[in-house]
Amino acid sequence: MNGAEALVSTLIAGGVNTCFANPGTSEMHFLSALDNPGMKSVLCLFEGVATGAADGYFRMKESPAATLLHLGPGLANGLANLHNARRARSGIVNVVGDHVTTHLQYDAPLTSDLEGIARPLSHWLRTTDGAHTLAHDAAQAVAAARDCQIATLVLPGDASWGDAGEVCSSPAAGPVRAVPPADRIDHVARMIRNADGPVLLVLADRTCRGRGPEIAGKIAAATGCSIATQFFTNRIERGAGRVTLERIPYFVEAAVDYLKPFRHIVTVETGEPIAFFAYPGWPSQLKHPEAQVHSLALPGEDGKAALDMLADALGANLIAPAWQERIQTPVPQGALDPVSIAYAIAAALPENCILVDESLTTGRSSMTLTAGALPHETLQNMGGSIGFGTPVATGAAMACKGRRVFCLEGDGSMMYTLQSLWTQARESLDVTTIVFANRKYKILEAEYANMGFGTPGPRAAEMMEIDQPTLDFVALAKGMGVPGTRVETAEDFHAALVRSCGEAGPTLIEVTL
Ligand SMILES: Cc1ncc(C[n+]2csc(CCOP(=O)(O)OP(=O)(O)O)c2C)c(N)n1
């Protein structure tokens, strides 16, 4: 067994059986080892697609995928979506090929400070010593990735082709998540009982699915506190029959307004609400200046256990939460705007689908107006680096065969990682990509005004308009093997959404705005 074969066998033994790959010459031995039938390899035509797909895969499977990246430049191409994945607490094993050790001294063109490129976004980073250490290092990388970490294993060519003997150690089981100490729960329970004003519970990460929202809903029903999420959450289970979590608004003024009544904010697997950006004259902290923040569970701790303990302490366990009722929104007619778009989506979503949301301005109303849709899950961008949507949708579809994935995209965001469509076509993934073609970076117009500049001058406006030349998303999709359609009315949009659910494989809908 050579090093690359030992590496792939170890990944499989550790449950990592999908690899989003973009290979090069230094990874030929790894490529050959990928022929192991236990490993599904998925070609991505840009490394940002590979890293984003691994993020989407982890979010849905709660188990890591690997990426295969080509030396420093390949890794660098994947960094933006590694940043998003890291923020989403998605575990990934990056295997990054490097030159043969003896070749590095000659400074061949692809030589770079590979570890320097990897370090800022990797929780775990190692250049393996040689073939004999590879299986052990791979096992460590898998253990780190299972623990929601970005693990980067640098693989010199000679480690790949060297003799690894029979070594193939399996990683230990994933770490147990810490349960918050009882005195913290007691403190929060006492505070809620004695609070002289409204209390807000802010949920994040794993508390936004499974029993998390339900327990929070019981606490809300028993005590009158409100429950919400940050503006961005890695994965939320929502829709009819579940407990609806409100969403703290994105724009600072609206967020400050939303949080104004609350003098106590309880955070679960997250920190206090902070503005995405700082603006002149506005605070970074969104809470009321007199509000106190109480951490029930830190990020990475077991927030569900914490909520259970809190519900116990408050005697809320036997109380029924307010279940979200099914709201059958009528199929909208006529003009396409954020509200009719949200209604069309709400009416069309099939049960158990996955909604990846990178719709920015156009999708601002979607979360509120889809609350009573059939039960579904939403994945949002935790890192703010656009170009996350189509790769994450690809990875989510790989992880959840049989479930339709809808990917809501701003046209500007769509252009970052468009190559995902090709992978979706090649793998016959059930993804419906919806591009909101407003022909501009519309959110930046708002941000320009928020910074106090009012209406942009002609040169500044040009930097936010993407209309010349006109992007033809239907043609772009067709060129990558994905059929597409263009819609100009709300009823046509709804019909196209419904139609896409009845056809296997990927499709694209360009929504003309
Ligand atoms: C990697 C990266 N580059 C640039 C930005 C800045 N940025 C934020 S939103 C945006 C434009 C998004 O345009 P679009 O997807 O069309 O949505 P719209 O603004 O029209 O709603 C840009 C360029 C970013 N967030 N991330």
Side-chain angles (χ1 to χ4, degrees):
M1 186 183 291
N2 67 25
E5 288 160 348
L7 167 55
V8 170
S9 299
T10 304
L11 291 175
I12 295 167
V16 178
N17 53 21
T18 301
C19 180
F20 297 101
N22 187 267
T25 306
S26 39
E27 294 83 50
M28 288 302 142
H29 289 76
F30 187 85
L31 216 54
S32 161
L34 282 180
D35 263 328
N36 188 322
M39 180 65 83
K40 166 74 184 161
S41 35
V42 181
L43 181 59
C44 300
L45 302 188
F46 174 65
E47 293 85 346
V49 174
T51 51
D55 177 5
Y57 185 95
F58 185 89
R59 291 193 199 202
M60 297 314 301
K61 266 264 195 299
E62 297 190 16
S63 163
T67 66
L68 174 64
L69 308 171
H70 185 52
L71 298 98
L75 172 62
N77 276 345
L79 284 183
N81 272 333
L82 278 185
H83 161 84
N84 288 330
R86 186 183 161 107
R87 288 276 169 176
R89 294 180 37 79
S90 290
I92 297 176
V93 178
N94 296 309
V95 177
V96 188
D98 196 7
H99 283 310
V100 169
T101 319
T102 52
H103 194 61
L104 281 173
Q105 62 188 309
Y106 302 113
D107 196 29
L110 275 161
T111 308
S112 66
D113 179 4
L114 208 169
E115 288 199 353
I117 294 169
R119 191 166 291 111
L121 293 172
S122 304
H123 301 91
W124 184 101
L125 170 63
R126 187 169 301 164
T127 300
T128 199
D129 276 345
H132 57 290
T133 54
L134 206 40
H136 171 264
D137 290 345
Q140 300 288 310
V142 171
R146 278 185 185 161
D147 190 21
C148 307
Q149 296 186 23
I150 307 293
T152 303
L153 177 60
V154 181
L155 177 62
D158 43 335
S160 266
W161 72 47
D163 184 6
E166 292 302 310
V167 186
C168 182
S169 54
S170 210
V176 176
R177 302 206 307 146
V179 174
D183 56 351
R184 217 193 287 163
I185 312 291
D186 290 345
H187 161 78
V188 174
R190 214 170 317 115
M191 180 279 292
I192 291 180
R193 262 191 244 105
N194 301 331
D196 45 5
V199 174
L200 177 67
L201 236 61
V202 183
L203 308 191
D205 204 355
R206 298 191 200 195
T207 57
C208 295
R209 51 191 197 263
R211 287 187 58 251
E214 179 183 344
I215 314 164
K218 286 171 179 283
I219 295 169
T223 66
C225 72
S226 302
I227 43 178
T229 63
Q230 304 278 11
F231 186 73
F232 291 116
T233 302
N234 52 8
R235 180 175 165 195
I236 306 177
E237 285 179 0
R238 60 195 303 272
R242 291 181 169 150
V243 171
T244 293
L245 306 170
E246 288 182 11
R247 189 183 194 187
I248 299 173
Y250 173 82
F251 284 117
V252 173
E253 190 172 358
V256 165
D257 203 45
Y258 176 87
L259 293 171
K260 201 186 288 169
F262 301 107
R263 291 297 177 273
H264 294 279
I265 297 174
V266 178
T267 54
V268 195
E269 296 195 26
T270 184
E272 70 168 276
I274 296 295
F276 219 68
F277 293 103
Y279 302 84
W282 287 97
S284 293
Q285 292 166 293
L286 298 168
K287 63 175 193 268
H288 187 279
E290 284 165 23
Q292 289 177 37
V293 179
H294 312 264
S295 173
L296 186 73
L298 296 168
E301 288 184 338
D302 190 340
K304 259 181 241 173
L307 284 171
D308 259 330
M309 289 155 75
L310 183 63
D312 261 347
L314 292 167
N317 262 330
L318 297 176
I319 295 175
W323 298 112
Q324 172 67 51
E325 60 183 28
R326 171 86 171 107
I327 302 169
Q328 240 154 340
T329 42
V331 174
Q333 308 284 319
L336 284 158
D337 56 38
V339 173
S340 64
I341 284 169
Y343 279 136
I345 293 169
L349 289 186
E351 185 157 0
N352 206 26
C353 69
I354 299 163
L355 201 65
V356 178
D357 189 0
E358 192 169 38
S359 56
L360 307 196
T361 313
T362 314
R364 266 302 119 69
S365 328
S366 301
M367 284 294 274
T368 318
L369 299 178
T370 55
L374 290 171
H376 63 278
E377 296 189 74
T378 298
L379 316 184
Q380 296 162 343
N381 187 352
M382 301 290 289
S385 178
I386 60 175
F388 115 105
T390 60
V392 165
T394 306
M398 282 297 303
C400 299
K401 294 275 173 74
R403 292 174 70 179
R404 172 117 330 230
V405 179
F406 294 87
C407 180
L408 310 179
E409 282 290 336
D411 49 0
S413 302
M414 181 73 196
M415 289 306 292
Y416 281 65
T417 40
L418 198 67
Q419 306 91 329
S420 309
L421 295 180
W422 183 87
T423 300
Q424 291 170 13
R426 184 172 160 114
E427 299 294 331
S428 304
L429 299 177
D430 293 337
V431 182
T432 306
T433 301
I434 300 138
V435 186
F436 297 114
N438 61 11
R439 314 285 173 205
K440 49 173 72 169
Y441 289 167
K442 193 165 183 181
I443 190 173
L444 297 190
E445 280 183 358
E447 296 290 37
Y448 194 86
N450 289 339
M451 288 293 176
F453 291 113
T455 309
R459 297 250 166 73
E462 260 179 33
M463 294 302 107
M464 297 185 259
E465 286 161 0
I466 56 173
D467 57 339
Q468 281 174 0
T470 305
L471 288 157
D472 181 341
F473 289 99
V474 175
L476 288 165
K478 183 165 177 251
M480 284 181 277
V482 174
T485 181
R486 188 170 291 115
V487 296
E488 293 179 1
T489 64
E491 60 271 29
D492 285 355
F493 177 43
H494 174 264
L497 286 171
V498 172
R499 212 167 38 244
S500 77
C501 300
E503 291 161 5
T507 186
L508 177 138
I509 305 170
E510 180 180 316
V511 178
T512 307
L513 293 170

